[in-house]
């Protein structure tokens, strides 16, 4: 069983020669030419003699002078090469050879404690691991798509020093790579993301930190101890709005959320099984939604534990 | 991408494949002449094989009805098993353009799809990503642009570590990038360039190739020289691109191909020469050409021309820039490499010939390369390229002019080529013939005896046939004069001493 998903096998690609033999091109090249390539670089050029006198301009009607040609993107000389390149892009040239697949493995399961996902390809496992286990916050167990977003989360959600400093200076970093702007509040940052970077207003990885007493809060222990909600968002409805498509990591768990958004909703009833983090037997993965949106927990009035945890 | 997931259409399909290719080729030429050459790339698992279908034959599924599409959407909005099954069926159905259009017009469809794309269930996420990818590949702008709400997520996921997923996101982005300026106007502020700059340090070949694809699409945009190239030059991308191109023979040839085309587009923007030269692009690419030539057996493996072509172009254009960079690659092995490459690709990919000759022209601007070409005994091979194509003929003759122009010493060595130049004067292409006349002029100028030989070999008739051509008649006439022909023959000038006694 793989222990760490670091060096998963690369897909091997090889160019294959077409099967039919071709006539070799007939250029009368001197023998031994290829050997000259393998010789070392030429000796440094001899010190320049006096430069030759510039040649007289050609007498008309003759006009030739040597000229380096600079050809633009659309020059006719480049047409055939461009067409060939695009045939390749369109997959018309792909060779018929198959790629050597990675080593076959028999079924195996994720080794993270509590996670029971099973895989039959290394790629499937890799994707699962990266989605759920790789960039996980050690405080609240939420997972993030990148180390960077995880760092931002830890700073803003679990660092009391951050909260203190945020009172005096702009501490909320823009989430877009390459942008160095900082803001005094989560809301200001969101406004910047929307106006300057054309991000969607409901960008999933920019959920503002929720107050602990909210009904949606995960009951897992959080070490930060900061119970003061530093960022009470004005748009509470937006805060608790979650995408109706949110799912937990386990297939056994459904999320019973009445969609708070006024968007088109479906009339299905949401059903619900226990997602208590105590219950690990049928549940795969952490009980917190990976993108920082807490799942409903046993605080829900109609929770039905799958397995009694007494 | 290199040879991977190739669709094998079965034994009866080869003729169809050829016909399809000819059609595509014609369409591409038309598009290029209108300066609208745009292509997208499709990453699709060989689903027929996966689903146990027949023999991998490529069939586009029939379109679904509105109700059927709606049913799939509802299935996606329900939970667990339904969702995955519906997604898979949708993915297959979206291979049909009609179904694509129906899907994007449904209320809430994209929102649902994007929701699943950001799901924490890895396999749901992957399947949703494949659906988005099919949509991105559509030739209908309404369908492709429907994917816009997903772009911020596509970019976010590029910093993930799942190779297959990242690769899919990259190709999806690359398809969207080329769709319209409106799309790029969204992606640029969303930070696509910095994200790509981080991504280029990935060790995974598949990711790098996808990344190269995205960049090549960005750099082909009409607004690229003004809006995109400066951003790219400002980042770490150029040095990594150069590194990946130059190491492309050992590993990651697919990625090297993409980045080589990127470099070509950057060089064509005319604003990047100084930056690229300061990175050592010229000697690096020259060394790469040497490596390519020595690794390529006479029967070249299919696909290498896709790398060689943009490398040749970059070298030629960089040499032609205003900066005085010519001395950096004064290495006669470059000529050896060039001719070996021309030999390898002459049969299968004749376009390499004219592009290689373009480089040769730019090199032989320098006396060093003119002497080297003759010293290496490459003249016969050069002449052998005359009949390849009209453009090749014009370029061969131009190169010969470059050599002749360097003075009598080199002209002497061209003397032996005279018999092969006579047929060149009968070529149908006036531009090529014009260069031939210029060449003769230079030869007559520097080597008196050439004129005599020329006439002796029947050159007079060859010249006279151009007397009625407006482009050529003046020069043909002047050459006849120079060669001391009876009608208005001049008896002055250095070349004419021995040719006065002619019948």
């Amino acid at each position: 069983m793989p222990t760490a998903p670091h060096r998963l096998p690369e897909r091997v690609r090889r160019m294959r020669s077409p099967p039919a033999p071709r006539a070799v091109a007939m250029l009368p090249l001197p023998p031994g030419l290829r050997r000259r390539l393998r010789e070392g670089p030429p000796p440094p050029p001899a010190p320049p003699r006096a430069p030759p006198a510039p040649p007289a301009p050609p007498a008309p009607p003759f006009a030739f002078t040597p000229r380096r040609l600079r050809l633009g993107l659309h020059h006719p000389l480049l047409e055939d090469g461009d067409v060939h390149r695009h045939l390749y892009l369109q997959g018309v040239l792909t060779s018929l050879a198959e790629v050597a697949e990675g080593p076959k493995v028999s079924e195996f399961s994720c080794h993270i404690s509590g996670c029971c996902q099973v895989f039959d390809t290394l790629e499937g496992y890799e994707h699962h691991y990266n989605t759920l286990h790789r960039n996980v916050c050690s405080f609240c167990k939420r997972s993030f798509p990148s180390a960077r977003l995880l760092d931002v989360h830890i700073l803003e959600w679990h660092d009391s020093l951050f909260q203190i400093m945020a009172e005096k200076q702009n501490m909320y970093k823009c989430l877009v790579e390459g942008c160095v702007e900082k803001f005094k509040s989560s809301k200001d940052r969101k406004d910047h993301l929307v106006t300057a970077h054309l991000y969607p207003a409901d960008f999933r990885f920019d959920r503002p930190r929720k107050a602990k007493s909210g009904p949606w809060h995960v009951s897992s222990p959080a070490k930060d101890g900061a119970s003061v909600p530093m960022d009470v968002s004005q748009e509470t409805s937006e805060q608790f709005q979650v995408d109706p498509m949110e799912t937990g990591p386990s297939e056994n768990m459904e999320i019973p959320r009445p969609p708070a958004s006024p968007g088109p909703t479906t009339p299905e009833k949401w059903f619900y099984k226990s997602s208590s983090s105590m219950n690990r037997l049928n549940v795969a993965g952490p009980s917190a939604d990976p993108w920082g949106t807490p799942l409903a927990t046993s605080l829900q009035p109609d929770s039905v534990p799958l397995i009694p945890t007494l | 991408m290199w040879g991977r997931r190739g669709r094998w259409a079965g034994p009866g399909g080869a003729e169809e494949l050829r016909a399809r290719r000819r059609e595509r080729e014609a369409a591409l030429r038309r598009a290029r002449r209108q300066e609208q050459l745009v292509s997208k790339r499709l990453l699709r698992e060989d689903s027929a094989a996966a689903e146990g279908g027949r023999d991998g034959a490529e069939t586009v599924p029939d379109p679904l009805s509105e109700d059927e599409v709606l049913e799939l959407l509802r299935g996606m909005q329900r939970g667990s098993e339904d969702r995955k099954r519906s997604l898979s069926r949708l993915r297959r159905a979206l291979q049909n353009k009609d179904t694509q259009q129906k899907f994007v017009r449904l209320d809430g469809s994209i929102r649902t799809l994007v929701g699943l794309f950001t799901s924490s269930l890895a396999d749901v996420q992957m399947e949703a990503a494949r659906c988005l990818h099919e949509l991105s590949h559509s030739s209908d702008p309404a369908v492709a642009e429907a994917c816009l709400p997903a772009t911020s997520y596509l970019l976010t996921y590029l910093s993930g570590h799942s190779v297959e997923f990242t690769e899919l996101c990259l190709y999806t982005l690359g398809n969207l990038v080329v769709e319209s300026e409106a799309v790029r106007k969204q992606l640029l502020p969303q930070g696509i360039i910095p994200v790509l700059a981080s991504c280029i340090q990935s060790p995974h070949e598949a990711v790098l190739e996808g990344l190269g694809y995205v960049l090549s699409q960005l750099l082909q945009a009409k607004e690229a020289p003004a809006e995109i190239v400066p951003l790219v030059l400002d980042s770490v991308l150029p040095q990594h691109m150069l590194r990946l191109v130059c190491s492309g023979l050992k590993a990651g040839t697919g990625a090297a191909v993409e980045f080589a085309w990127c470099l070509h587009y950057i060089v064509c923007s005319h604003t990047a020469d100084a930056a690229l030269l300061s990175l050592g692009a010229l000697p690096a690419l020259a060394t790469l050409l040497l490596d390519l030539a020595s690794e390529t057996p006479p029967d070249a493996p299919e696909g290498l021309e896709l790398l060689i072509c943009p490398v040749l172009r970059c070298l030629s254009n960089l040499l032609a820039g205003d900066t005085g960079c010519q001395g950096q690659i004064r290495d006669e092995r470059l000529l050896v490499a060039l001719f070996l490459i021309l030999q390898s690709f002459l049969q299968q990919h004749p376009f390499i010939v004219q592009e290689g000759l373009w480089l040769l022209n730019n090199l032989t601007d320098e006396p060093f390369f003119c002497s080297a070409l003759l010293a290496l005994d490459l003249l016969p091979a050069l002449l052998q390229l005359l009949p390849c194509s009209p453009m090749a003929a014009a370029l061969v003759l131009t190169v010969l002019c470059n050599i002749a122009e360097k003075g009598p010493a080199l002209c002497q060595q061209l003397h032996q080529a005279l018999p092969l130049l006579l047929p060149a004067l009968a070529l149908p292409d006036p531009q090529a013939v014009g260069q031939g006349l210029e060449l003769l002029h230079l030869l007559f100028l520097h080597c008196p005896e050439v004129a005599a030989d020329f006439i002796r070999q029947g050159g007079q008739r060859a010249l006279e046939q151009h007397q009625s051509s407006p482009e050529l008649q003046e020069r043909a006439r002047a050459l006849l004069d120079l060669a001391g022909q009876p009608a208005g023959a001049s008896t002055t000038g250095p070349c004419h001493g021995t040719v006065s006694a002619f019948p």
Side-chain angles (χ1 to χ4, degrees):
Chain A
M1 256 193 301
T3 47
H6 292 299
R7 305 238 107 224
L8 289 175
E10 297 289 341
R11 276 162 285 213
V12 171
R13 293 199 197 104
R14 246 177 269 113
M15 291 183 288
R16 303 262 192 97
S17 311
R22 286 186 304 232
V24 176
M26 310 238 281
L27 275 190
L29 293 175
L33 202 57
R34 195 175 289 269
R35 211 182 326 120
R36 299 197 82 139
L37 281 181
R38 297 196 241 284
E39 290 164 3
R49 300 180 297 256
F62 298 101
F64 178 81
T65 44
R67 211 163 39 96
R68 292 168 203 236
L69 296 169
R70 180 144 205 163
L71 300 186
L73 268 182
H74 303 289
H75 194 276
L77 190 142
L78 307 180
E79 176 178 304
D80 289 348
D82 283 349
V83 166
H84 191 75
R85 154 72 174 167
H86 279 257
L87 285 173
Y88 167 71
L89 285 179
Q90 294 188 8
V92 179
L93 294 186
T94 41
S95 89
L96 306 174
E98 283 306 307
V99 164
E101 292 299 327
K104 298 271 182 273
V105 295
S106 53
E107 219 177 61
F108 58 97
S109 65
C110 181
H111 71 283
I112 299 292
S113 120
C115 181
C116 316
Q117 278 283 84
V118 175
F119 312 93
D120 61 0
T121 65
L122 287 172
E123 277 150 0
Y125 170 69
E126 175 187 50
H127 189 200
H128 160 85
Y129 181 89
N130 291 325
T131 312
L132 268 185
H133 304 309
R134 190 175 198 119
N135 300 301
V136 175
C137 175
S138 50
F139 295 99
C140 65
K141 312 300 174 213
R142 286 177 174 79
S143 90
F144 293 83
S146 68
R148 193 161 167 278
L149 286 172
L150 172 62
D151 289 344
V152 167
H153 160 82
I154 291 178
L155 201 62
E156 296 177 9
W157 285 48
H158 304 299
D159 186 340
S160 32
L161 185 59
F162 176 89
Q163 308 298 339
I164 293 168
M165 291 176 67
E167 292 175 40
K168 304 193 192 80
Q169 49 186 283
N170 291 351
M171 293 288 291
Y172 287 85
K173 289 194 271 210
C174 176
L175 298 182
V176 171
E177 196 152 348
C179 179
V180 298
E181 298 285 334
K182 293 191 183 170
F183 301 89
K184 97 171 155 2
S185 73
S186 173
K187 176 178 185 320
D188 287 351
R189 174 183 54 206
K190 174 180 290 301
D191 288 343
H192 166 80
L193 279 176
V194 170
T195 50
H197 294 296
L198 308 183
Y199 265 49
D202 60 351
F203 187 63
R204 196 163 177 136
F205 311 130
D206 181 33
R207 296 282 158 79
R209 190 174 160 198
K210 297 164 189 51
K212 272 200 180 222
S213 52
W216 301 107
H217 185 72
V218 171
S219 64
S220 53
K223 296 218 189 100
D224 54 354
S227 48
V228 181
M230 285 307 297
D231 184 34
V232 179
S233 164
Q234 313 304 330
E235 306 129 50
T236 10
S237 64
E238 201 230 12
Q239 243 189 17
F240 299 141
Q241 166 197 335
V242 286
D243 194 325
M245 298 316 124
E246 289 253 11
T247 62
S250 156
E251 293 173 299
N252 293 332
M253 290 194 315
E254 311 303 333
I255 312 309
R257 288 193 189 84
S261 76
T265 55
T266 56
E268 288 83 16
K269 279 170 91 98
W270 298 94
F271 57 95
Y272 164 71
K273 298 184 188 117
S274 168
S275 63
S276 161
S277 54
M278 297 303 122
N279 181 352
R280 294 287 180 195
L281 295 174
N282 278 18
V283 172
S287 59
D289 176 84
W291 299 149
T293 304
L295 303 173
T297 68
S298 48
L299 291 176
Q300 282 297 305
D302 53 347
S303 75
V304 175
L306 266 176
I307 290 177
T309 52
L310 302 171
Chain B
M1 231 25 225
W2 196 264
R4 124 193 224 232
R5 295 175 177 148
R7 289 194 291 278
W8 176 225
E15 184 48 54
E16 244 182 77
L17 267 178
R18 271 194 287 274
R20 194 159 68 102
R21 175 180 169 156
R22 278 194 295 271
E23 255 173 56
R24 297 268 186 115
E25 211 174 303
L28 286 171
R29 276 186 208 285
R30 274 194 303 271
R32 190 185 187 275
R33 286 173 196 176
Q34 296 161 6
E35 300 191 8
Q36 308 238 352
L37 190 52
V38 149
S39 291
K40 294 186 177 182
R41 224 169 171 185
L42 186 61
L43 215 66
R44 193 188 280 165
E45 294 292 345
D46 194 359
S47 50
E51 291 165 16
R54 49 185 204 289
D55 210 10
E58 180 199 340
T59 46
V60 174
D62 290 328
L64 298 183
S65 70
E66 295 261 356
D67 284 338
E68 287 171 310
V69 180
L70 186 59
E71 184 58 45
L72 284 180
L73 178 59
R74 295 289 174 247
M76 282 154 62
Q77 291 166 336
R78 284 190 286 265
S80 85
E81 279 313 311
D82 257 3
R83 183 170 46 220
K84 265 202 288 196
R85 213 179 312 126
S86 301
L87 259 180
S88 297
R89 298 205 335 241
L90 180 68
R91 173 178 49 86
R92 177 128 174 84
L94 285 178
Q95 292 179 23
N96 178 295
K97 181 169 175 176
D98 206 55
T99 311
Q100 291 172 354
Q101 291 163 331
K102 290 190 176 112
F103 179 76
V104 304
R105 284 197 292 255
L106 276 183
D107 213 17
S109 58
I110 291 294
R111 181 173 169 74
T112 302
L113 189 57
V114 174
L116 292 171
F117 178 54
T118 52
S119 157
S120 53
L121 275 177
D123 42 3
V124 168
Q125 181 181 51
M126 192 74 195
E127 205 63 12
R130 293 195 181 110
C131 289
L132 275 171
H133 183 69
E134 291 285 346
L135 292 174
S136 78
H137 185 256
S138 178
S139 51
D140 180 352
V143 171
E145 291 196 9
C147 300
L148 281 183
T151 55
S152 57
Y153 298 112
L154 285 165
L155 290 175
T156 304
Y157 288 134
L158 291 189
S159 26
H161 295 263
S162 312
V163 173
E164 193 181 350
F165 184 65
T166 305
E167 185 190 28
L168 191 57
C169 291
L170 282 166
Y171 281 101
T172 303
L173 274 169
N175 289 346
L176 292 176
V177 154
V178 87
E179 187 56 49
S180 69
E181 188 167 357
V183 172
R184 296 189 287 272
K185 277 189 144 55
Q186 172 165 310
L187 281 170
L188 284 170
Q190 285 182 343
I192 186 171
I193 301 284
V195 166
L196 295 178
S198 298
C199 223
I200 202 167
Q201 302 180 57
S202 163
H204 301 288
E205 290 182 25
V207 169
L208 291 172
E209 188 174 339
L211 171 53
Y213 171 66
V214 180
L215 261 176
S216 75
Q217 299 289 56
L218 269 174
L219 290 166
Q220 280 184 94
K222 287 196 169 42
E223 76 274 17
E227 318 263 338
I228 300 178
V229 171
L231 296 174
V232 170
L233 290 180
D234 251 344
S235 74
V236 299
L237 282 165
Q239 71 222 43
H240 287 290
M241 284 173 10
L242 196 54
R243 168 181 64 84
L244 289 164
V245 171
C246 293
S247 62
L249 262 188
K250 298 157 200 90
T253 314
V257 165
E258 298 306 310
F259 290 121
W261 285 91
C262 288
L263 284 176
H264 163 56
Y265 300 133
I266 292 181
V267 170
C268 281
S269 75
H270 286 259
T271 56
D273 284 17
L276 287 175
L277 288 172
S278 70
L279 286 173
L282 205 51
L285 291 173
T287 308
L288 175 60
L289 208 64
L290 299 184
D291 291 341
L292 282 166
S294 60
E295 298 291 320
T296 308
D299 195 15
E302 200 55 32
L304 215 49
E305 76 283 357
L306 288 160
L307 177 57
I308 289 178
C309 171
V311 170
L312 288 174
R313 295 180 182 191
C314 286
L315 282 169
S316 304
N317 267 333
L318 282 173
L319 278 174
D322 337 273
T323 44
C325 57
Q326 302 81 346
Q328 289 179 24
I329 52 169
R330 207 169 276 143
D331 181 348
E332 62 176 17
R333 293 178 304 163
L334 210 45
L335 291 180
V336 175
L338 190 51
F339 275 86
L340 285 172
I341 285 170
L342 292 180
Q343 157 133 315
S344 296
F345 291 96
L346 179 54
Q347 292 276 85
Q348 285 299 108
H349 302 293
F351 68 85
I352 292 279
V353 172
Q354 62 211 29
E355 305 214 9
L357 286 172
W358 168 31
L359 176 58
L360 192 58
N361 170 72
N362 286 8
L363 288 171
T364 50
D365 185 50
E366 284 245 302
F368 171 84
F369 282 107
C370 293
S371 320
L373 192 149
L374 295 172
L376 287 166
D377 195 20
L378 293 171
L379 185 60
L382 178 62
L383 293 166
Q384 189 75 357
L385 295 170
L386 266 169
C388 276
S389 71
M391 273 196 272
L395 284 167
V396 168
L397 290 165
T398 308
V399 170
L400 291 170
C401 286
N402 285 350
I403 299 176
E405 191 259 357
K406 303 297 184 277
L410 295 186
C411 273
Q412 288 285 3
Q413 302 188 56
L414 289 183
H415 193 162
Q416 52 165 307
L418 203 53
L420 289 157
L421 296 180
L422 265 160
L425 295 180
L427 287 169
D429 179 32
Q431 199 201 353
V433 176
Q435 294 297 76
L437 297 179
E438 297 281 347
L439 176 60
L440 283 174
H441 168 246
L442 289 165
L443 290 175
F444 289 5
L445 203 56
H446 294 298
C447 297
E449 61 273 25
V450 173
D453 268 345
F454 177 71
I455 298 297
R456 242 194 311 275
Q457 291 170 29
Q460 179 176 0
R461 195 185 313 278
L463 287 176
E464 279 167 355
Q465 64 180 321
H466 296 299
Q467 304 231 58
S468 46
S469 155
E471 275 177 78
L472 304 170
Q473 59 193 187
E474 269 194 78
R475 290 181 283 180
R477 183 74 257 159
L479 283 173
L480 284 167
D481 291 348
L482 273 176
Q485 288 320 289
S490 155
T491 50
T492 57
C495 304
H496 307 309
T498 55
V499 303
S500 51
F502 245 99

